[in-house]
Amino acid sequence: MTAFLARRMLQAIAVVILVTLIVFTLLELAPGPDRAAVVGTAAHSQFLVQYLSWLGQVLHGNLGVVSAGGESVAALLATSLPRTLILVGFSTLIALAVAIPAGIFQAARPSSVTGHGLRVLTYVFYSMPAFVLGSVLILFLGVGARWFGAEGPQYAGLGQVITDWRDLTLPVLTLALGTIAIFARYMRSAAADSLDEEYVEAARARGADERRVLLRHVLRNSLVPVVTLLGLSIPQILGGALVVESLFNFPGVGFQIWQAAQNHNVPVILGFTLVFGVGAAIGSLLADIAYALLDPRVRYARA
């Protein structure tokens, strides 16, 4: 297990270094004033020296400034990232809570009316862009029925953001429905494969009822690919958060990136992109660790 974790840690570090190199290369191509806001005014002739100097500043939390003499990118990230984590966290928890039983049900009862209905809904939400789904929810549940707010919470305090369920529901629901569609499809496929395994047939032959077979045997083995997918889906979920936050005017990381793109604010775009890349690498590492814990054979086969 130690060798497996060491290999994954080294791979994650290599990915992070590659991300920093890509971001710094993009920074080198940026216009002079914005570049100076991140790298500084010191001129170095060698690329490696410039990169190490910039990396040192990043490691000390210096991602540049939003504008000349203005707020730092790190400070903007510190205020907007928790809001995005709230949005992504709630939507992911809801997605897993719905997708896992829905996927297992579709695999266990593929010919039932409910199974067909869940499959159709999965395809609909999977193929529908987030901005279209969000617009439909705003139109019918926000503007039409007035059950929920058509705009995300605008409070400065995180406690107020979390407790404002009326304004938080539609952004969370928009992101969750798309995530449910992804996880449910993989869960259905993994559960269907598990149902054909010999250990499932053996459990049934010993007289185990169907519920026990599904919960004890099928569920755990089906979670392995879903856990991996969860870690690898972090960039996609964050990309969906960018669209959702922009649509609902929710001041998280995605909204700030959209605003920075509108204003051609290079330090904000590159600084946040760097954080997203590091987050994706960490997510992949955590997925590998969880994969090994759920299936001990992985740590020995890949060590």
Side-chain angles (χ1 to χ4, degrees), residues 83-106:
R83 297 188 180 96
T84 296
L85 293 179
I86 290 173
L87 174 63
V88 171
F90 281 168
S91 63
T92 302
L93 289 176
I94 293 173
L96 290 175
V98 175
I100 290 175
I104 292 179
F105 184 89
Q106 291 178 67

Side-chain angles (χ1 to χ4, degrees), residues 240-255:
L242 189 154
V243 176
V244 171
E245 289 178 1
S246 302
L247 179 64
F248 288 93
N249 196 36
F250 185 71
V253 172
F255 178 78

Side-chain angles (χ1 to χ4, degrees), residues 63-135:
L63 299 175
V65 296
V66 177
S67 59
E71 182 184 20
S72 68
V73 175
L76 180 63
L77 181 66
T79 57
S80 57
L81 182 59
R83 297 188 180 96
T84 296
L85 293 179
I86 290 173
L87 174 63
V88 171
F90 281 168
S91 63
T92 302
L93 289 176
I94 293 173
L96 290 175
V98 175
I100 290 175
I104 292 179
F105 184 89
Q106 291 178 67
R109 305 285 180 83
S111 301
S112 66
V113 175
T114 305
H116 285 300
L118 289 174
R119 192 174 300 113
V120 170
L121 287 176
T122 298
Y123 285 128
V124 170
F125 291 135
Y126 183 78
S127 60
M128 185 178 294
F131 72 90
V132 175
L133 178 58
S135 299

Side-chain angles (χ1 to χ4, degrees), residues 224 227-232 282-293:
V224 173
V227 167
T228 305
L229 176 67
L230 178 60
L232 298 178
I282 294 175
S284 179
L285 174 62
L286 293 177
D288 283 337
I289 294 174
Y291 195 1
L293 292 175

Side-chain angles (χ1 to χ4, degrees), residues 6-22 51 277 281 285:
R7 285 174 58 88
R8 290 299 180 267
M9 286 289 294
L10 291 175
Q11 291 175 1
I13 293 172
V15 170
V16 170
I17 293 175
L18 179 61
V19 169
T20 61
L21 280 171
I22 294 174
Y51 168 71
L285 174 62

Side-chain angles (χ1 to χ4, degrees), residues 186-248:
Y186 276 85
M187 192 67 192
R188 183 191 68 199
S189 177
D193 291 339
S194 296
L195 285 170
D196 293 332
E197 295 290 342
E198 293 182 359
Y199 61 83
V200 173
E201 296 297 331
R204 287 170 173 165
R206 290 194 299 267
D209 61 85
E210 192 66 15
R211 182 177 181 181
R212 181 181 177 86
V213 169
L214 292 176
L215 293 179
R216 184 170 181 177
H217 299 283
V218 175
L219 177 59
R220 177 170 179 174
N221 291 280
S222 301
L223 284 178
V224 173
V226 175
V227 167
T228 305
L229 176 67
L230 178 60
L232 298 178
S233 296
I234 288 180
Q236 184 175 357
I237 295 174
L238 292 175
L242 189 154
V243 176
V244 171
E245 289 178 1
S246 302
L247 179 64
F248 288 93

